[in-house]
Amino acid sequence: MGLHPLEFSECYLDSPTFRDKVKSHEAELDKTNRFIKELYKDGKNLMNATKQLSMAQRKFAQCLGEFKFEYIGDAKTDDEKCIDESLQEFSAFLRNLEDQRELMMQNITETLMKPLEKFRKEQLGAAKAERKRYEKETEKYYSSLEKLLNMSAKKKEPQLQEADVQVDSNRDHFQDLSLEYVCKLQEIQERKKFECVEPMLAFFQTVFTFYHQGYELANDFDHYKRALQINIQNTRSRFEATRSEVYELMKRTKDTPQEHRQTSPISSEGYLYVQEKRPPPFGSSWVKRYCTFVKEQKILHMVTFDHKSGGKTGETESVMLKSCLRKLTDTLDRRFCLDLEITDRPGIVLTVQALSEDDHKFWIHAMGGKEPIHYLRTYSKERGIDAQLDDIGLSFVKNSINAIEKRGINDQGLYRVVGVSSKVQKLLCLMIDEKSNDLDLSVCEDWDVKTITSALKLYLRSLPEPLMTYGLYKEFIIPAKSGSPEPRLQAIHCLVHKLPERNRLVLGLLMKHLATVAAHSKQNLMTVANLGVVFGPTLMRPEEETVAAIMDLKFQNIVVEILIEQHEKIFGDIPSECPSATAFSAPTRQSKKLGRQNRPLAVYNPQALDIQTVSVGSESAPPPAPDEASLGSNDSVSSSHSSGTPPQKAKNPHDTSHATPSPDSPGMCSAMALWTISATSGTPLVSPSRAPRGVTDGEQAEESVSQQKAKAVYPCEAEHDSELSFQAGAIFQNVSVSREPGWLEGVLEGKKGLIPENYVEML
């Protein structure tokens, strides 16, 4: 049962029951007061804890916002860009959430804490003050009443009357105060029902609003979250494919380290111990140096490097090699030694020691010794399969596609689930055999779908050259690294139409088929991204297997994704215009490296500080193959100059005498790019009509710019010791053509080094 009501009539009787009722009301108000004080204290603790949480979340968000992922390679895929930006998105989401939380705490202070404290002080405090007055008047009234009753009746009448009047006055005042107190008690008991609960309702409404705003934020974030999940899944799939390729390359490197030694037809690199002789009686010492031998120039660059200290301990020294002789152990008590005769130091013999017997043979062969050994890497090929892109191969591709679309288009993991290796090879050998290639796979139940898909992939991998060719590999990769979808599509569209006719035909059939597979992705779970992971390394391969090339797998996947999604446009229409290479980037370090990537026979000496110019007779290059001749850029030099963007190096610079292309042809554009040493100069240094027959383009360019000056148009920071760092406006002296394509040699502030050609204009 609740509290008894306090009747006003009872204030006059002031019975023990009435007093018990008043005490019950007072006890309830005391309990309410303690509850509000405790609630206020806990509310303060909650506010402080929330502030601490908010500070921690903001610090967490700041940490997320400041961190950026580094990546391997020179560009990121769209998925990687989204993942890289995701931490900033998470940070912004948390900051937004904390802004809402801060607003919630302000509202809680205004709607809960202050009203409760106000009710406790104003209402319960007033009741407490009234209670003291009531108790004081009670004591005063009953004391005067006892005093009156104890007064002797013998007192004089005036005294008795005065005492009666005084007691009556105290009684009236006491009863009035009792009425007011009873009224106040019952008023507060009724008021607390809404004065206490209403702030709580406002508090929960604030909390609900906060969580609702969080819900709205989550809804707004949901689209980005779903896209990010797809990006992460795509990146994970590409990682799995890349990791398997890297482990496979690592295994092959472990098995045959000499075949995978980092070398090229123009240079060899590795460590050698060089004997440094000292005047008697000190004898000699052996110093470990990293050496780069340039075969064409016969220059050996040596730099001292100490792995313990973790850096170079000296400058690069370059010597020109005259001869290399094997050092016998009877003249020197050390194995694996060579005597090097130096051209510019007559009578001086440099003795070096290789690291092992295999390393010894490697250096003898590289430097022209008498123990040749085939050390250049060989490319692994599928054994026992003579796959060709001929009519039989085209028939097999059509047969396989027809069978897959009729029998297994909805099979889960199509092209991911592989068949038994022996059965796959048996089927492929059977299908490319001229005598037995009339088997219709769409009705033959002897071969399951996964065996057919694996055989099709094996056929594409076994071709002598990838379907998208080695020559166009890097050109396909460059637009894939661009962040602009439209130029990316235009570039790939143009490159597809530079493929040989048979390659383009097979690629078009395959892309149309893969688009059909992707259209059934709800059943087979093979989205465009999944198909890109499967077919990227199958259709595109670099000539050299390196970790850097494997890191480009993700861009191979992007190219294949674009081919699948836009197959109707790419294979249905002939491109009207093709974007230039500079459409994807301003002059960057990447644009300077394109020359060396596309010219495997160029000389590049990353260790050289002072590259000596050696006169070497040039041999005219053979005429390009028909499919190679189509690789020239469609952008003229004049258009590059008018746009203010440095042009890229032409693809086939060697041969201009075998054919005379028309001025509008791609080949002519390539030749014009060679005759113009600097795009920004706007004037050809050698006229095409004056080019003597039998003289190579490189020699013409070298004669034309010898001893000239050049001015830097863009700033550049050197990546190697052989390069020059400079700011825009720098003037170079003695500028001449380097043997490194896309580079010049010049002198700046007394230092000679390499200069990126498209960063300067000739004066």
Side-chain angles (χ1 to χ4, degrees):
M1 184 175 177
L3 296 175
H4 292 280
L6 299 176
E7 298 292 344
F8 291 133
S9 58
E10 293 181 320
C11 294
Y12 294 95
L13 296 176
D14 200 16
S15 64
T17 304
F18 171 74
R19 285 288 180 166
D20 289 339
K21 292 178 182 179
V22 170
K23 288 186 179 296
S24 299
H25 281 261
E26 291 173 346
E28 177 60 25
L29 292 183
D30 289 341
K31 186 173 71 170
T32 302
N33 186 60
R34 289 194 300 272
F35 164 72
I36 293 177
K37 288 180 70 174
E38 192 70 23
L39 188 65
Y40 187 84
K41 179 182 176 182
D42 292 340
K44 282 288 187 182
N45 292 337
L46 175 62
M47 296 285 288
N48 292 333
T50 305
K51 287 180 180 178
Q52 293 294 327
L53 173 63
S54 181
M55 290 174 58
Q57 297 240 75
R58 288 186 183 276
K59 188 173 181 181
F60 181 71
Q62 181 183 0
C63 182
L64 284 177
E66 292 175 352
F67 184 79
K68 285 185 177 295
F69 288 109
E70 290 297 337
Y71 58 93
I72 300 175
D74 53 5
K76 292 184 284 189
T77 65
D78 292 343
D79 293 327
E80 289 172 329
K81 290 176 184 176
C82 184
I83 290 174
D84 188 22
E85 295 167 357
S86 63
L87 297 185
Q88 282 71 41
E89 292 289 338
F90 295 155
S91 176
F93 177 81
L94 285 176
R95 287 197 301 271
N96 200 346
L97 192 64
E98 292 313 308
D99 291 341
Q100 300 297 334
R101 192 191 303 275
E102 187 174 337
L103 184 61
M104 178 191 73
M105 290 190 292
Q106 294 175 358
N107 289 339
I108 289 175
T109 301
E110 295 297 327
T111 59
L112 176 66
M113 308 300 290
K114 288 183 179 180
L116 283 179
E117 186 67 5
K118 181 180 179 181
F119 176 76
R120 190 183 71 82
K121 289 181 177 180
E122 293 183 0
Q123 300 298 326
L124 297 182
K128 194 173 184 180
E130 290 291 329
R131 178 180 177 181
K132 290 181 179 179
R133 287 180 58 198
Y134 178 69
E135 291 175 349
K136 185 177 180 180
E137 288 298 326
T138 299
E139 183 180 357
K140 181 178 178 182
Y141 165 66
Y142 283 107
S143 295
S144 63
L145 181 61
E146 289 179 3
K147 185 177 180 181
L148 174 64
L149 295 177
N150 290 330
M151 182 177 291
S152 172
K154 297 178 179 180
K155 291 282 186 180
K156 294 181 178 180
E157 186 65 25
Q159 290 180 335
L160 294 174
Q161 289 179 357
E162 181 180 356
D164 290 340
V165 170
Q166 182 67 36
V167 170
D168 290 341
S169 175
N170 290 340
R171 181 187 302 112
D172 293 340
H173 186 66
F174 167 69
Q175 290 174 348
D176 291 343
L177 188 61
S178 178
L179 290 171
E180 293 174 2
Y181 182 53
V182 166
C183 182
K184 187 69 174 178
L185 285 178
Q186 297 188 113
E187 176 188 340
I188 293 176
Q189 294 292 2
E190 294 297 316
R191 182 186 290 271
K192 74 175 182 181
K193 296 176 183 178
F194 55 88
E195 292 277 8
C196 292
V197 176
E198 190 175 39
M200 295 300 300
L201 177 61
F203 164 75
F204 280 101
Q205 182 61 40
T206 302
V207 173
F208 296 153
T209 302
F210 168 72
Y211 284 112
H212 180 72
Q213 289 170 335
Y215 173 77
E216 292 294 332
L217 285 175
N219 279 345
D220 295 340
F221 194 73
D222 188 65
H223 178 73
Y224 177 81
K225 181 189 71 173
R226 292 178 183 276
L228 181 60
Q229 287 173 338
I230 296 173
N231 296 137
I232 292 174
Q233 183 59 42
N234 292 343
T235 305
R236 186 187 299 276
S237 300
R238 289 168 183 155
F239 163 75
E240 296 294 341
T242 303
R243 182 174 63 173
S244 62
E245 292 285 340
V246 170
Y247 275 87
E248 182 64 27
L249 177 60
M250 181 180 69
K251 183 177 180 298
R252 292 197 300 269
T253 305
K254 283 182 179 180
D255 295 339
T256 55
Q258 287 301 322
E259 289 185 6
H260 290 81
R261 182 165 184 163
Q262 196 167 32
T263 184
S264 73
I266 61 170
S267 65
S268 302
E269 300 180 37
Y271 283 100
L272 289 172
Y273 280 83
V274 181
Q275 185 182 32
E276 295 186 353
K277 296 180 180 180
R278 299 180 181 178
F282 298 106
S284 61
S285 62
W286 293 83
V287 180
K288 184 172 68 173
R289 293 191 169 189
Y290 190 78
C291 301
T292 303
F293 180 68
V294 183
K295 299 174 186 177
E296 185 180 5
Q297 299 175 337
K298 289 193 174 181
I299 295 178
L300 180 66
H301 304 289
M302 301 178 292
V303 58
T304 304
F305 187 88
D306 183 10
H307 285 89
K308 294 180 181 178
S309 61
K312 291 191 299 183
T313 58
E315 297 295 330
T316 300
E317 180 182 359
S318 300
V319 296
M320 185 173 292
L321 191 66
K322 183 177 180 181
S323 65
C324 170
L325 299 175
R326 182 189 185 97
K327 187 79 170 180
L328 300 178
T329 55
D330 55 355
T331 60
L332 181 68
D333 190 22
R334 276 181 176 260
R335 299 188 299 162
F336 320 135
C337 290
L338 300 169
D339 278 344
L340 308 180
E341 188 176 355
I342 309 304
T343 300
D344 50 353
R345 299 179 188 176
I348 300 298
V349 176
L350 189 65
T351 303
V352 297
Q353 182 182 27
L355 304 182
S356 64
E357 181 64 29
D358 290 338
D359 199 46
H360 188 218
K361 293 177 180 178
F362 168 82
W363 283 109
I364 288 177
H365 175 73
M367 296 180 180
K370 298 180 181 180
E371 298 180 21
I373 180 171
H374 183 71
Y375 65 93
L376 295 179
R377 69 180 313 280
T378 56
Y379 302 106
S380 60
K381 297 185 181 294
E382 301 292 344
R383 302 295 182 184
I385 298 176
D386 183 22
Q388 298 294 330
L389 201 60
D390 51 13
D391 292 338
I392 296 176
L394 179 59
S395 174
F396 167 63
V397 171
K398 292 180 178 179
N399 196 347
S400 300
I401 290 175
N402 186 40
I404 295 166
E405 292 185 355
K406 285 187 176 180
R407 296 173 51 193
I409 195 67
N410 292 325
D411 288 3
Q412 287 193 4
L414 189 64
Y415 284 109
R416 269 197 183 277
V417 180
V418 298
V420 180
S421 178
S422 58
K423 292 180 64 178
V424 171
Q425 293 198 18
K426 182 178 179 181
L427 172 60
L428 182 56
C429 292
L430 179 66
M431 294 304 296
I432 63 177
D433 186 357
E434 295 184 8
K435 299 178 181 179
S436 56
N437 61 356
D438 56 350
L439 177 64
D440 187 356
L441 296 175
S442 63
V443 295
C444 181
E445 299 293 337
D446 296 338
W447 307 98
D448 55 16
V449 173
K450 65 182 179 182
T451 302
I452 299 174
T453 57
S454 299
L456 178 57
K457 291 189 294 182
L458 179 60
Y459 165 76
L460 295 172
R461 287 196 303 269
S462 303
L463 292 172
E465 188 176 26
L467 199 59
M468 298 172 71
T469 72
Y470 289 130
L472 290 177
Y473 173 78
K474 291 190 179 298
E475 293 194 54
F476 273 110
I477 291 295
I478 290 171
K481 295 178 179 180
S482 167
S484 304
E486 191 59 32
R488 178 191 296 178
L489 175 59
Q490 291 178 6
I492 292 176
H493 190 183
C494 290
L495 291 171
V496 165
H497 286 268
K498 289 183 180 181
L499 289 171
E501 183 65 29
R502 182 60 61 91
N503 295 55
R504 185 168 68 252
L505 175 61
V506 175
L507 185 62
L509 289 173
L510 185 61
M511 291 304 109
K512 182 179 179 182
H513 164 63
L514 294 182
T516 304
V517 173
H520 293 77
S521 60
K522 289 186 177 180
Q523 291 79 28
N524 57 38
L525 306 181
M526 293 303 291
T527 62
V528 172
N530 291 338
L531 292 171
V533 171
V534 172
F535 280 91
T538 301
L539 302 177
M540 301 176 64
R541 294 194 304 276
E543 288 192 85
E544 294 187 18
E545 292 183 84
T546 62
V547 174
I550 291 174
M551 291 305 163
D552 279 342
L553 279 176
K554 53 194 176 186
F555 298 109
Q556 299 173 19
N557 304 343
I558 290 174
V559 173
V560 174
E561 290 175 22
I562 294 173
L563 291 175
I564 296 173
E565 292 175 337
Q566 304 291 337
H567 72 281
E568 293 182 356
K569 175 180 177 59
I570 291 175
F571 296 96
D573 302 331
I574 298 176
S576 57
E577 59 178 358
C578 296
S580 64
T582 55
F584 304 106
S585 62
T588 61
R589 305 299 300 183
Q590 174 65 15
S591 65
K592 296 195 300 179
K593 294 176 183 175
L594 290 178
R596 81 179 66 141
Q597 292 172 345
N598 296 323
R599 286 280 303 278
L601 296 180
V603 178
Y604 180 62
N605 310 313
Q607 302 296 336
L609 278 174
D610 184 14
I611 298 181
Q612 305 180 26
T613 305
V614 183
S615 178
V616 180
S618 301
E619 297 179 1
S620 61
D627 59 307
E628 293 174 346
S630 64
L631 302 184
S633 171
N634 290 333
D635 295 320
S636 67
V637 175
S638 59
S639 64
S640 297
H641 173 57
S642 63
S643 65
T645 306
Q648 298 296 339
K649 196 70 174 175
K651 291 296 177 187
N652 296 305
H654 291 295
D655 189 6
T656 60
S657 60
H658 294 286
T660 306
S662 65
D664 297 329
S665 66
M668 188 60 180
C669 295
S670 300
M672 291 176 66
L674 290 170
W675 288 322
T676 305
I677 298 303
S678 174
T680 53
S681 67
T683 304
L685 297 175
V686 178
S687 173
S689 61
R690 297 180 184 176
R693 191 174 296 273
V695 179
T696 63
D697 298 328
E699 291 172 342
Q700 296 171 25
E702 185 173 355
E703 292 173 2
S704 63
V705 297
S706 178
Q707 305 303 318
Q708 289 199 9
K709 295 182 180 181
K711 180 181 178 181
V713 181
Y714 305 98
C716 176
E717 184 177 353
E719 289 183 348
H720 301 288
D721 293 338
S722 61
E723 301 176 19
L724 293 177
S725 295
F726 51 85
Q727 298 296 323
I731 304 297
F732 303 94
Q733 307 290 335
N734 300 332
V735 178
S736 60
V737 171
S738 170
R739 295 182 180 275
E740 173 68 16
W743 295 74
L744 302 174
E745 290 183 22
V747 178
L748 178 64
E749 298 178 354
K751 183 178 179 181
K752 186 176 181 181
L754 294 173
I755 310 162
E757 184 183 71
N758 57 351
Y759 273 53
V760 301
E761 63 179 2
M762 303 305 297
L763 299 178

